[in-house]
Amino acid sequence: MSVLVVGSTALDSIATPNAKNPRLLGGSASHAGVAASFFSPVTVVGVVGDDFPQRYIQLYQKHGIDLTGLQRIPGKTFHWSGEYEIDMNNRRTLATELGVFADFSPKLPPACQKTPYVLLANIAPSLQAHVLDQMRRPKFVVADTMDLWLNIALADLLKLIRRVDALVLNDSEARQLTGDPNVISALGKIHKLGPRYVIVKKGEHGSILSGPSGLFVAPAYPLLKVVDPTGAGDSFVGGMMGYLASQKGSIEKNLRRGMVYGSVVASFCCAGFGLKHTTKVTRADIEKRFRQLEKITRF
Ligand code: AMP
């Protein structure tokens, strides 16, 4: 089955201690959409300006991504720029220029409205809600978010959370949302806000799922070298959702395996700037790392 992904479609300027890369293809929907495309057909909903390079459109197309929900309008593409410290867990946002996203209010083509799996990748919660309003009886809805929206759009975010099946957020965001310093007890508090499934990302330490059958812990793939972690979280959730949409049977069982596939795609994302490495990967590469992860976590 297919996945609809809404989120940012961006140009990213990324600096690490070793290199600077301006105006790469980025954005939560780009990372999540490419990650999901390894497993299922994907439609991306977003907007780009007239400065968006045609080669990036071709990159989406190379991954078979349906672009009927991607608008191109006059103006500047969303631009994000960030800088990493030597410890790449520390990142500073230098600029977020919304450009054409500032007034974006997508009207989904009718064919997209029936997509069964919906991934509300990181973008303003009001925009995530606007897309959800237009969906017709989706089978499973996952929302991702970031600290910015907890800071400036908490009321919108809380309204959205009530309407989704699963919420994905990182550990510091889980603490901020609940005021609880303990992530495990924070999970219960987040369930009370609505979602049946809560997934907390812990970067290089993996992720935790809390669902009706209890807890599940997914490992991160142990990497010797991280080139650029931008988009790792989006790749994780995209890979997870793509896998989920490709499977029949128990959602919870598939979510668990999907989280491990998500970890694998995220590990490839970290091996290059932007989407450079992820877009070279094959499904066979993914399966190989999945089996390695199975091996190193079995006991
Ligand atoms: P991650 O490293 O998983 O946090 O995701 C980084 C991606 O999020 C980059 O490709 C950015 O373009 C995108 N991004 C950064 N800030 C925002 C924002 N405020 N809204 C939507 N996307 C954003």
Side-chain angles (χ1 to χ4, degrees):
M1 285 201 233
S2 52
V3 181
L4 183 120
V5 181
V6 61
S8 54
T9 39
L11 297 174
D12 283 354
S13 297
I14 302 165
T16 64
N18 299 318
K20 275 196 171 124
N21 272 270
R23 300 173 78 74
L24 297 167
L25 174 60
S28 57
S30 304
H31 283 283
V34 168
S37 75
F38 289 109
F39 307 95
S40 293
V42 174
T43 299
V44 162
V45 176
V47 62
V48 295
D50 42 21
D51 57 349
F52 193 74
Q54 190 57 27
R55 66 177 188 285
Y56 292 167
I57 298 282
Q58 285 159 356
L59 211 58
Y60 289 137
Q61 285 166 339
K62 184 187 142 210
H63 283 268
I65 293 175
D66 169 25
L67 298 175
T68 47
L70 182 73
Q71 292 176 36
R72 186 195 275 271
I73 61 174
K76 289 220 151 83
T77 300
F78 181 105
H79 177 236
W80 175 80
S81 100
E83 187 176 55
Y84 289 89
E85 292 177 13
I86 291 181
D87 174 357
M88 290 212 187
N89 294 309
N90 298 328
R91 169 170 91 185
R92 215 156 53 91
T93 291
L94 302 175
T96 304
E97 293 147 354
L98 288 180
V100 289
F101 257 104
D103 307 309
F104 182 51
S105 173
K107 171 121 188 51
L108 294 194
C112 302
Q113 294 171 2
K114 291 187 190 146
T115 314
Y117 289 83
V118 181
L119 174 52
L120 307 170
N122 174 34
I123 194 74
S126 56
L127 196 56
Q128 293 174 312
H130 181 68
V131 168
L132 193 51
D133 289 342
Q134 296 173 62
M135 298 305 299
R136 293 216 231 137
R137 300 175 141 272
K139 193 171 153 58
F140 201 76
V141 180
V142 175
D144 193 359
T145 193
M146 74 185 289
D147 54 351
L148 175 71
W149 311 119
L150 290 166
N151 294 332
I152 70 168
L154 183 60
D156 286 347
L157 185 63
L158 290 172
K159 250 194 265 167
L160 178 84
I161 292 177
R162 267 187 246 132
R163 303 174 60 197
V164 303
D165 298 291
L167 178 69
V168 180
L169 70 181
N170 69 29
D171 44 1
S172 60
E173 292 155 4
R175 290 190 192 100
Q176 184 178 343
L177 179 61
T178 58
D180 189 333
N182 181 316
V183 168
I184 305 303
S185 56
L187 289 166
K189 293 184 176 135
I190 301 173
H191 282 305
K192 292 209 176 94
L193 299 173
R196 202 168 150 77
Y197 299 92
V198 180
I199 294 169
V200 173
K201 298 173 287 181
K202 293 158 70 74
E204 64 189 311
H205 304 297
S207 53
I208 301 179
L209 163 73
S210 171
S213 311
L215 297 180
F216 171 70
V217 178
Y221 185 86
L223 281 175
L224 281 173
K225 187 170 178 209
V226 172
V227 175
D228 168 23
T230 309
D234 308 311
S235 302
F236 167 80
V237 71
M240 179 191 87
M241 195 64 166
Y243 177 77
L244 192 63
S246 73
Q247 298 296 307
K248 294 200 172 90
S250 155
I251 287 269
E252 198 156 0
K253 179 174 147 254
N254 295 332
L255 257 186
R256 290 176 175 214
R257 287 179 74 81
M259 286 166 69
V260 180
Y261 275 108
S263 290
V264 169
V265 184
S267 73
F268 286 119
C269 172
C270 293
F273 271 92
L275 273 152
K276 280 185 185 176
H277 195 83
T278 316
T279 49
K280 293 201 183 89
V281 163
T282 63
R283 180 66 192 261
D285 298 326
I286 293 174
E287 292 301 334
K288 193 168 164 208
R289 277 202 178 172
F290 184 88
R291 285 193 300 273
Q292 285 173 326
L293 269 185
E294 244 180 345
K295 210 165 144 194
I296 62 175
T297 53
R298 190 180 300 139
F299 61 91

